[in-house]
Amino acid sequence: MWPLTVPPPLLMLLLCPGLAGQTLFQSPEEGWQLYTSAQAPDGKCICTAVIPAQSTCSRDGRSRELRQLMEKVQNVSQSMEVLELRTYRDLQYVRSMETLMRSLDARLRGADGSLSAKSFQELKDRMTELLPLSLVLEQYKADTRTIVRLREEVRNLSSSLAAIQEEMGAYGYEDLQQRVMALEARLHACAQKLGCGKLTGVSNPITIRAMGSRFGSWMTDTMAPSADSRVWYMDGYYKGRRVLEFRTLGDFIKGQNFIQHLLPQPWAGTGHVVYNGSLFYNKYQSNVVVKYHFRSRSVLVQRSLPGAGYNNTFPYSWGGFSDMDFMVDESGLWAVYTTNQNAGNIVVSRLDPHTLEVMRSWDTGYPKRSAGEAFMICGVLYVTNSHLAGAKVYFAYFTNTSSYEYTDVPFHNQYSHISMLDYNPRERALYTWNNGHQVLYNVTLFHVISTAGDP
């Protein structure tokens, strides 16, 4: 830190050595921070500034692009960690089934007529049921090796980017950009292949806590690494601004170790979601989507969702200003809403999480006022037929084929009034706000693996 003296006017131009003709204005983004200013007796302006590292002076548009690439690689790395954890869990389950198969096979081979015809047939039937799992196990082993290779590529890319960023050069930037894009595409394909399947079951409810009013939402970050177990809590369904951030799930259960965020704009509904460090929510009395960044405590971007109804125009069956519902699954950020043009039917749109622009939309044909709640898993929108007791997952819309089917997946609505239902792909669980209770459900996904001989 050192004092700078410049004559009036007070416009401060900071020149970097060796960059004649280029001017850097004071900017927190670039590392320049003006702390105090005063006027000397001779009329000169005296300013105290914190000067960034010498290498900052050579920053330009290309170096900013490098930083953006670094952020992308970091996001890929976090996604890899989530995917690896989930694949490990699945692999452990399939391996336990393999052990069971070997045990049954040994019993069949060693029967030697000691089993009755009925018992022998039961063992054979059981083996027939488990036989397809051998193909699943081999595929998971191969997929695990793929993840290891991807992780190594991410590590190499991170090292290359860090070295280039240190030198503040631009050599090899286009090649690195292509490698990052290719990695993102491969990771997306991996997530779709490994973690995805058709919803076939919902577990019994697990009540985490009873806290707050009848309506609200609670969630964890779907993109956070496994070490980050923060929980966010938002009580009420309209005009709220207070968000509580608990350090861990255990702290949430005990009601301790939390900080408060006061949103600059109030929310509507309960369809909020936390994704990669930011809260996405519907601004009260508008069809505006707001992206609020927790670490900087600021709104990064907000954008109107074209034609989307708001202010209880097209809510779920329970009302509560639930016109717009934001979701995250294995493939990214989604918005579920309705427009007049779609005659009150549910529209599902894929959003760019950085700009909030609509990337693609689908008209599901299902009337939103007849839906209790909805959630996304693996690009499939699942809709419940009620928010009350006796509810079940009744409708599924497949965005990959633009087709739908009616389903019959029951789940126990223990407290009889669901006002928030959201899927977390990191934990493969449904988060629910049920009449003032924060509840979790595990889900069962049926995963079909095609073998080389399949058409």
Side-chain angles (χ1 to χ4, degrees):
M1 181 185 298
W2 67 80
L4 301 176
T5 59
V6 295
L10 298 181
L11 176 63
M12 186 175 179
L13 302 182
L14 303 176
L15 299 178
C16 293
L19 293 179
Q22 294 191 28
T23 303
L24 292 180
F25 296 89
Q26 61 182 60
S27 166
E29 181 181 71
E30 297 297 336
W32 300 86
Q33 300 180 43
L34 179 64
Y35 275 86
T36 59
S37 62
Q39 190 169 12
D42 60 359
K44 291 183 178 180
C45 173
I46 301 176
C47 301
T48 302
V50 174
I51 306 302
Q54 185 68 25
S55 60
T56 303
C57 290
S58 62
R59 288 182 177 176
D60 56 10
R62 185 58 58 89
S63 64
R64 188 173 295 108
E65 291 173 338
L66 284 172
R67 292 198 303 275
Q68 292 171 353
L69 275 182
M70 288 284 286
E71 292 173 1
K72 278 193 172 186
V73 173
Q74 180 63 29
N75 289 341
V76 170
S77 181
Q78 291 176 357
S79 298
M80 284 289 303
E81 183 177 346
V82 173
L83 186 61
E84 191 171 21
L85 177 62
R86 285 177 38 180
T87 305
Y88 174 77
R89 292 172 180 168
D90 291 341
L91 188 60
Q92 292 298 104
Y93 172 76
V94 175
R95 279 176 172 164
S96 68
M97 291 299 100
E98 182 186 37
T99 302
L100 178 59
M101 288 173 59
R102 289 174 177 170
S103 174
L104 288 174
D105 185 59
R107 288 182 63 187
L108 279 173
R109 295 177 184 276
D112 293 333
S114 60
L115 293 176
S116 66
K118 182 180 179 180
S119 298
F120 187 77
Q121 187 60 42
E122 287 176 351
L123 277 176
K124 285 187 65 177
D125 291 344
R126 183 64 172 149
M127 279 295 296
T128 302
E129 291 176 6
L130 293 174
L131 191 59
L133 283 177
S134 60
L135 294 175
V136 174
L137 179 65
E138 292 306 313
Q139 186 64 54
Y140 265 112
K141 289 178 179 177
D143 292 338
T144 302
R145 291 192 292 270
T146 300
I147 289 179
V148 171
R149 288 195 298 270
L150 275 172
R151 187 174 57 196
E152 185 62 28
E153 289 186 43
V154 170
R155 187 181 295 112
N156 292 339
L157 257 180
S158 298
S159 300
S160 300
L161 284 169
I164 289 179
Q165 193 176 42
E166 183 178 350
E167 296 174 4
M168 301 307 293
Y171 176 75
Y173 169 80
E174 287 78 8
D175 175 61
L176 285 168
Q177 185 181 40
Q178 292 300 318
R179 290 172 65 185
V180 170
M181 292 174 63
L183 261 180
E184 286 182 319
R186 291 177 62 189
L187 179 65
H188 175 68
C190 244
Q192 289 289 331
K193 180 180 180 183
L194 297 178
C196 285
K198 183 178 179 180
L199 179 69
T200 58
V202 177
S203 74
N204 286 325
I206 305 167
T207 301
I208 302 300
R209 189 177 181 189
M211 177 183 179
S213 65
R214 193 177 189 187
F215 313 96
S217 59
W218 71 295
M219 64 217 81
T220 58
D221 192 337
T222 58
M223 270 282 286
S226 56
D228 184 351
S229 58
R230 286 175 295 170
V231 175
W232 286 270
Y233 169 91
M234 302 168 69
D235 190 13
Y237 64 82
Y238 80 107
K239 295 178 69 174
R241 295 176 58 200
R242 191 174 72 127
V243 182
L244 300 185
E245 176 186 311
F246 293 84
R247 189 177 61 183
T248 66
L249 181 61
D251 289 331
F252 173 68
I253 294 172
K254 297 175 183 176
Q256 64 185 21
N257 294 327
F258 65 88
I259 59 175
Q260 176 177 288
H261 299 267
L262 194 63
L263 300 178
Q265 299 157 333
W267 72 69
T270 59
H272 330 298
V273 70
V274 175
Y275 180 52
N276 202 19
S278 294
L279 172 70
F280 296 81
Y281 70 95
N282 175 209
K283 180 183 175 182
Y284 179 61
Q285 289 190 328
S286 75
N287 62 1
V288 171
V289 188
V290 179
K291 178 182 180 181
Y292 175 84
H293 189 236
F294 284 115
R295 188 174 61 189
S296 64
R297 294 178 177 261
S298 63
V299 172
L300 297 185
V301 63
Q302 55 183 331
R303 181 183 294 273
S304 177
L305 203 54
Y310 61 93
N311 205 28
N312 264 345
T313 304
F314 298 112
Y316 289 125
S317 60
W318 63 274
F321 297 87
S322 56
D323 303 78
M324 296 167 64
D325 195 0
F326 303 104
M327 310 170 182
V328 170
D329 71 350
E330 289 77 2
S331 53
L333 178 66
W334 303 82
V336 168
Y337 57 100
T338 296
T339 68
N340 284 318
Q341 291 77 9
N342 294 91
N345 293 330
I346 291 177
V347 175
V348 56
S349 293
R350 180 85 182 277
L351 301 184
D352 184 318
H354 304 290
T355 65
L356 300 182
E357 293 178 339
V358 173
M359 300 165 66
R360 185 178 174 185
S361 295
W362 294 260
D363 183 349
T364 67
Y366 193 92
K368 191 164 186 287
R369 286 183 175 272
S370 298
E373 273 287 345
F375 54 92
M376 294 288 299
I377 300 180
C378 302
V380 180
L381 179 72
Y382 293 96
V383 180
T384 68
N385 63 343
S386 174
H387 62 282
L388 302 173
K392 62 182 178 181
V393 181
Y394 181 72
F395 178 85
Y397 187 86
F398 304 88
T399 59
N400 62 333
T401 58
S402 300
S403 61
Y404 69 89
E405 70 178 24
Y406 289 94
T407 61
D408 186 7
V409 181
F411 65 95
H412 182 38
N413 186 349
Q414 185 172 1
Y415 304 106
S416 304
H417 196 287
I418 292 176
S419 61
M420 172 253 179
L421 181 61
D422 224 351
Y423 173 70
N424 187 310
R426 182 181 72 164
E427 300 164 8
R428 198 171 292 177
L430 295 174
Y431 279 64
T432 307
W433 188 291
N434 195 336
N435 215 352
H437 297 77
Q438 292 74 49
V439 180
L440 288 178
Y441 294 89
N442 292 314
V443 298
T444 301
L445 303 179
F446 180 71
H447 183 44
V448 178
I449 292 181
S450 299
T451 61
D454 291 340

